[in-house]
């Protein structure tokens, strides 16, 4: 017989939060519900974006994809979670765009009332995206992923010292991806560019500047939401309301972040940071016209599942300008230890969108099956794709600015 004298258990969990959570303590002694998904776990599970895989690692969390992952929502304990980047609230009505892990170092989930330690957040909590920053390790990494539905993704991460004395550091991340979907006429392409710089002015002071460009072109939009008359399983798994003639929706985002850290001594530090996020989208999606579906076969050749579609404009703009200053420290009075956290968090957000225009698909030549109004008939049980032409689609006037169109 054998006796096991020693057993080493290694858990793929990080117990030290990022400085953007302002705690400065090990999570094992922090009386708050905080979970961290670090770089090792992201790589082990091949989590490529916030739209896939994150929720399975944190209880009470689910992912809500929208507009074919153009933007992504995460719900915590039944509430829409506040989206924070480096501790600053950038959540909005549209955006920010879903984060690709090419520029993400870790994701931190704070659940329940503990979320209010970061200011005005949702009752369910928030998730904090911590971006990659220069470390001075002089590392270069290239990664390529191939997968289902023609997934092709390539990413490069370069982390270097930019000066001989090691005070000036730089990091550069670039990523490109393209993939299809199990549904017809649904696909997306994404490109990410992320340079960041760090200057160590002294042992106690450093300055960090980051820029992130994220661009996502996707096909499908709202057309991917499918339904049947007597249940979802009635229609084919690959069904969608879209068509190859529809141009991809374009969305893009600019992120600028700046941070100054200063340690007065071993016990006290001061951090000031700002952020600006601008998310934009321009495109259109095919919908089924409201209350037009034929529930059963009828006169004049009407078949069960016949429906007409419209092409709706989908333009949006969301900006977040945020800033914060906080100090953290500790001191003793006799045998009593005091931990102090004080700060100021400010933000300004703007949102405008144009969802107001929607025009039906019209075939003036009546070459395709049409109803009495000339609207092209589409059957959810026998869908035919690729028969539309550009002259059948409505044309939208974008000569006015989105702010003017949204105001009207």
């Amino acid at each position: 017989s054998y006796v096991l004298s020693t057993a080493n258990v290694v858990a793929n969990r990080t117990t030290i939060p990022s400085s953007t959570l302002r705690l400065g303590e090990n999570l094992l002694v922090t009386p708050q519900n905080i979970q961290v998904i670090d770089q090792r776990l992201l790589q082990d599970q091949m989590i490529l974006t916030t739209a896939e895989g994150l929720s399975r690692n944190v209880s009470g969390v689910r992912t809500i994809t929208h507009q074919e992952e153009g933007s992504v929502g995460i719900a915590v304990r039944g509430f829409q979670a506040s989206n924070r980047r480096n501790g600053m609230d950038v959540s909005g009505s549209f955006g920010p765009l879903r984060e690709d892990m090419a520029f993400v170092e870790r994701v931190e989930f704070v659940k329940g009332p503990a979320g209010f330690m970061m200011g005005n957040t949702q009752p369910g909590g928030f998730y904090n995206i911590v971006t990659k920053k220069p470390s001075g390790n002089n590392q270069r990494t290239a990664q390529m992923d191939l997968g289902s539905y023609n997934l092709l993704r390539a990413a490069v991460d370069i982390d270097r010292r930019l000066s001989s004395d090691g005070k000036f550091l730089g990091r550069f991340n670039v990523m490109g991806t393209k993939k299809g979907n199990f549904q017809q006429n649904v696909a997306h392409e994404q490109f990410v560019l992320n340079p960041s710089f760090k200057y160590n002015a002294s042992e106690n002071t450093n300055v960090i500047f980051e820029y992130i460009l994220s661009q996502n072109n996707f096909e499908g939009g709202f057309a991917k939401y499918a339904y049947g008359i007597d249940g979802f399983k009635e229609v084919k798994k690959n069904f969608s309301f879209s068509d190859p003639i529809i141009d991809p929706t374009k969305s893009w985002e600019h992120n600028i972040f700046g941070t100054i850290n200063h340690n007065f001594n071993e016990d006290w530090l001061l951090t000031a940071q700002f952020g600006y996020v601008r998310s934009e989208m321009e495109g259109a999606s095919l919908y089924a016209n409201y209350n037009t579906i034929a529930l059963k076969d009828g006169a004049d050749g009407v078949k069960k599942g016949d429906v007409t579609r419209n092409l709706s404009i989908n333009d949006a703009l969301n900006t977040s300008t945020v800033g914060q200053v906080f100090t953290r420290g500790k001191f003793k009075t006799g045998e009593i230890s005091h931990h102090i956290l004080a700060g100021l968090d400010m933000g300004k957000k703007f949102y405008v969108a144009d969802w107001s225009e929607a025009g039906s698909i019209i075939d003036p030549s009546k070459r395709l099956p049409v109803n009495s109004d000339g609207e092209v008939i589409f059957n959810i049980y026998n869908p035919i794709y690729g028969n539309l032409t550009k002259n059948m689609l409505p044309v939208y006037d974008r000569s006015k600015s989105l702010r003017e169109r949204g105001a009207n």
Side-chain angles (χ1 to χ4, degrees), residues 232-339:
F232 291 103
K233 292 184 179 180
E234 280 195 318
V235 296
K236 297 179 181 178
K237 181 181 178 181
N238 64 354
F239 171 83
S240 81
F241 281 103
S242 193
D243 191 89
I245 198 69
I246 307 301
D247 293 329
T249 294
K250 299 178 181 180
S251 59
W252 60 97
E253 183 178 87
H254 299 278
N255 297 251
I256 299 175
F257 298 107
T259 306
I260 299 176
N261 297 300
H262 177 70
N263 293 311
F264 296 103
N265 51 48
E266 293 183 355
D267 295 329
W268 287 90
L269 65 82
L270 175 71
T271 296
Q273 56 183 1
F274 74 90
Y276 176 75
V277 178
R278 181 184 180 92
S279 309
E280 298 181 70
M281 181 171 68
E282 182 178 295
S285 289
L286 272 175
Y287 296 84
N289 278 319
Y290 177 71
N291 205 26
T292 63
I293 191 166
L295 302 180
K296 60 182 180 180
D297 294 344
D300 300 325
V302 174
K303 296 181 180 179
K304 179 181 178 180
D306 280 353
V307 69
T308 60
R309 294 172 291 175
N310 69 70
L311 187 66
S312 172
I313 191 170
N314 291 340
D315 293 359
L317 167 66
N318 196 101
T319 64
S320 296
T321 305
V322 291
Q324 57 183 218
V325 180
F326 66 91
T327 183
R328 187 183 72 234
K330 59 184 179 180
F331 64 93
K332 281 188 175 183
T333 54
E335 297 298 321
I336 303 176
S337 297
H338 305 273
H339 294 260

Side-chain angles (χ1 to χ4, degrees), residues 174-241:
V174 61
M175 186 284 307
T177 186
K178 181 177 182 179
K179 75 172 183 178
N181 193 278
F182 67 91
Q183 291 179 284
Q184 295 194 61
N185 308 312
V186 176
H188 94 273
E189 300 177 356
Q190 188 171 9
F191 172 76
V192 170
L193 184 69
N194 171 217
S196 57
F197 303 94
K198 181 178 182 179
Y199 178 66
N200 294 309
S202 66
E203 291 184 357
N204 296 319
T205 306
N206 63 71
V207 180
I208 301 172
F209 177 81
E210 304 172 65
Y211 171 74
I212 303 170
L213 168 65
S214 180
Q215 181 171 321
N216 189 1
N217 300 335
F218 56 91
E219 302 172 19
F222 289 112
K224 66 180 182 178
Y225 300 130
Y227 55 83
I229 296 174
D230 299 318
F232 291 103
K233 292 184 179 180
E234 280 195 318
V235 296
K236 297 179 181 178
K237 181 181 178 181
N238 64 354
F239 171 83
S240 81
F241 281 103

Side-chain angles (χ1 to χ4, degrees), residues 136-192:
N137 290 331
N138 284 338
Q139 294 180 340
R140 283 173 269 185
T141 304
Q143 178 180 338
M144 177 170 284
D145 301 294
L146 303 173
S148 303
Y149 308 114
N150 299 318
L151 168 65
L152 176 61
R153 183 181 186 273
V156 175
D157 184 355
I158 302 174
D159 190 356
R160 302 279 294 175
R161 294 191 187 97
L162 301 181
S163 64
S164 57
D165 59 5
K167 287 189 173 183
F168 191 39
L169 313 175
R171 191 167 186 173
F172 180 74
N173 288 278
V174 61
M175 186 284 307
T177 186
K178 181 177 182 179
K179 75 172 183 178
N181 193 278
F182 67 91
Q183 291 179 284
Q184 295 194 61
N185 308 312
V186 176
H188 94 273
E189 300 177 356
Q190 188 171 9
F191 172 76
V192 170

Side-chain angles (χ1 to χ4, degrees), residues 59-75:
S59 62
V61 172
R62 66 185 182 93
T63 304
I64 310 167
T65 55
H66 189 49
Q67 283 281 38
E68 190 43 36
E69 302 175 352
S71 59
V72 63
I74 293 180

